[in-house]
Amino acid sequence: MASCWWRWRWRRGCSWRPAARSPGPNSADHAALSAPRAAAAAASVAVARTQMSYCNLMKSLTSAFPNMYRVSRFHHTTLGACSCSKTQSGEKYSDPFKLGWRDLKGLYEDIRKELFISTAELKEMSEYYFDGKGKAFRPIIVVLMARACNIHHNNSRNVQASQRAIALIAEMIHTASLVHDDVIDDASSRRGKHTVNKIWGEKKAVLAGDLILSAASIALARIGNTTVISILTQVIEDLVRGEFLQLGSKENENERFAHYLEKTFKKTASLIANSCKAVSVLGCPDPAVHEIAYQYGKNVGIAFQLIDDVLDFTSCSDQMGKPTSADLKLGLATGPVLFACQQFPEMNAMIMRRFSSPGDVDRARQYVLQSDGVQQTTYLAQRYCHEAVREISKLRPSPEREALIQLSEIVLTRDK
């Protein structure tokens, strides 16, 4: 009965409707895709099956229906309407990363100061990923959100020192989680180089991750705001709970997406959402603004991970800086797999045994590429980004607000 329900949902064009308590967009986002949208999606599947590059996939989608990212039946506020070169007040803004880096000069140097350690080996391990080669996606969002909230509240153009500290703390928590994840996954490469655990061993890598978390906690305590401390300590709890969720599987097909999205929120989106909320609390007393910041971060964070899961099938190792098909090898059923399972029910057995039998990984990958799982996951990420735009558009116009809107587009179109 459950599999029939899934196939019925897929024929309607909306491959998934989350449980009421799952961390997703509001209920309007979960309506079925319209018949024209489903038809356009079907027309693009042939191209998606033959082109492995995510960039090529996005080109095929936009050529099939160029208004894909400008017309949404779910929201009246569209990406196209908001993504302009000037705000309503006429102020120009530049690339969001350039705009954000105004407040992040010396970011990695300041993080290394927080990690001041006398033991040479532990120091080298702890600083290993703070080499300035990361995307700094989270710190960029945090400082842009800080400015957007400050401008909304009292037209202040400055980022407070405590708000900038949140950007550093967010990057430290994120990096500590990468070190720990690599140990759990026995990963051998990250950002195009060997992982900490492969160079120094698993035991030392765990301790290095712990040290980074402790340094982040000390920096958080110095801010001295109990509300902010509570908000960001929730992130660490969510990271642990998310990892436990990832270790489990759901037999009930109808529960798998809710399980997958809850894991995605806790492991990826919680840090972005709560960091955005933290800087809004420091810059503005209005709870409504805090909720806007949180919802923007949550929706962008989930979309970011959905696209990451797409890239695991469509990008090459050189682009990603880590092996592709890694999730299947770890036994993980991500969005593209769950969508593909609706067209190829034989994947259910593979999901439950976590792709552990010989040939499972290769067969599952082929099923995903033969299905429209990649495309469906991309559509889902698009809807989360539309919700993020809807939320952030409630703030007063500013260059930073428009940059945050543009970042939601970058999340959708990135190829690494």
Side-chain angles (χ1 to χ4, degrees), residues 2-255:
S3 61
C4 292
W5 181 89
W6 276 103
R7 286 196 292 274
W8 177 82
R9 288 302 307 157
W10 180 78
R11 285 196 296 269
R12 287 292 302 276
C14 178
S15 300
W16 162 79
R17 182 187 299 272
R21 297 182 61 188
S22 68
N26 52 25
S27 58
D29 278 354
H30 303 153
L33 290 173
S34 63
R37 178 68 61 83
S44 298
V45 171
V47 179
R49 288 175 181 169
T50 58
Q51 295 183 343
M52 297 292 289
S53 165
Y54 180 65
C55 289
N56 289 337
L57 173 61
M58 295 308 298
K59 289 177 182 177
S60 70
L61 294 178
T62 53
S63 65
F65 37 102
N67 290 328
M68 174 180 172
Y69 292 109
R70 291 182 172 83
V71 179
S72 170
R73 64 175 293 218
F74 306 107
H75 303 297
H76 295 296
T77 302
T78 66
L79 292 176
C82 295
S83 299
C84 50
S85 60
K86 295 184 179 181
T87 66
Q88 293 178 20
S89 60
E91 297 173 276
K92 293 182 179 180
Y93 78 102
S94 59
D95 174 85
F97 288 91
K98 290 182 180 178
L99 193 61
W101 272 110
R102 292 186 310 177
D103 300 303
L104 293 176
K105 292 176 181 177
L107 169 70
Y108 293 107
E109 181 182 346
D110 290 343
I111 289 176
R112 288 192 291 271
K113 289 177 182 177
E114 296 288 347
L115 293 169
F116 181 75
I117 305 158
S118 57
T119 307
E121 185 180 37
L122 188 54
K123 177 181 175 64
E124 186 180 2
M125 292 167 59
S126 301
E127 295 180 354
Y128 184 66
Y129 287 138
F130 299 114
D131 55 5
K133 295 181 180 178
K135 293 183 289 289
F137 180 74
R138 290 153 190 83
I140 291 288
I141 286 184
V142 169
V143 293
L144 290 175
M145 181 63 73
R147 279 185 176 270
C149 291
N150 294 352
I151 291 170
H152 178 83
H153 174 52
N154 59 10
N155 209 29
S156 172
R157 300 284 162 170
N158 297 319
V159 170
Q160 301 172 24
S162 58
Q163 290 175 314
R164 185 180 183 277
I166 297 295
L168 272 68
I169 293 165
E171 186 70 355
M172 293 168 74
I173 293 174
H174 170 60
T175 303
S177 74
L178 296 184
V179 175
H180 286 157
D181 281 355
D182 288 343
V183 172
I184 294 170
D185 299 340
D186 192 27
S188 59
S189 63
R190 165 82 62 181
R191 295 176 181 171
K193 61 183 183 180
H194 291 304
T195 55
V196 173
N197 49 291
K198 285 301 176 185
I199 298 175
W200 288 280
E202 291 185 353
K203 293 180 180 179
K204 290 182 177 180
V206 170
L207 295 174
D210 291 346
L211 189 141
I212 297 170
L213 276 179
S214 70
S217 300
I218 292 170
L220 179 59
R222 280 204 305 270
I223 292 175
N225 185 304
T226 55
T227 301
V228 168
I229 291 172
S230 177
I231 290 169
L232 283 181
T233 51
Q234 179 65 46
V235 172
I236 299 175
E237 178 184 338
D238 284 344
L239 284 169
V240 175
R241 291 185 181 274
E243 195 61 52
F244 267 87
L245 285 170
Q246 185 164 286
L247 294 173
S249 297
K250 287 290 183 182
E251 289 189 31
N252 189 322
E253 296 171 40
N254 299 343
E255 295 178 359

Side-chain angles (χ1 to χ4, degrees), residues 400-411:
E400 286 74 18
R401 189 196 75 167
E402 306 310 315
L404 288 167
I405 290 171
Q406 188 179 0
L407 268 178
S408 69
E409 296 182 27
I410 293 172
V411 164

Side-chain angles (χ1 to χ4, degrees), residues 339-364:
F339 280 122
C341 187
Q342 297 162 38
Q343 293 171 260
F344 299 99
E346 52 267 42
M347 293 182 71
N348 280 311
M350 288 190 281
I351 291 173
M352 289 312 301
R353 64 176 177 259
R354 298 178 73 86
F355 313 103
S356 58
S357 294
D360 275 359
V361 169
D362 290 337
R363 282 199 303 273

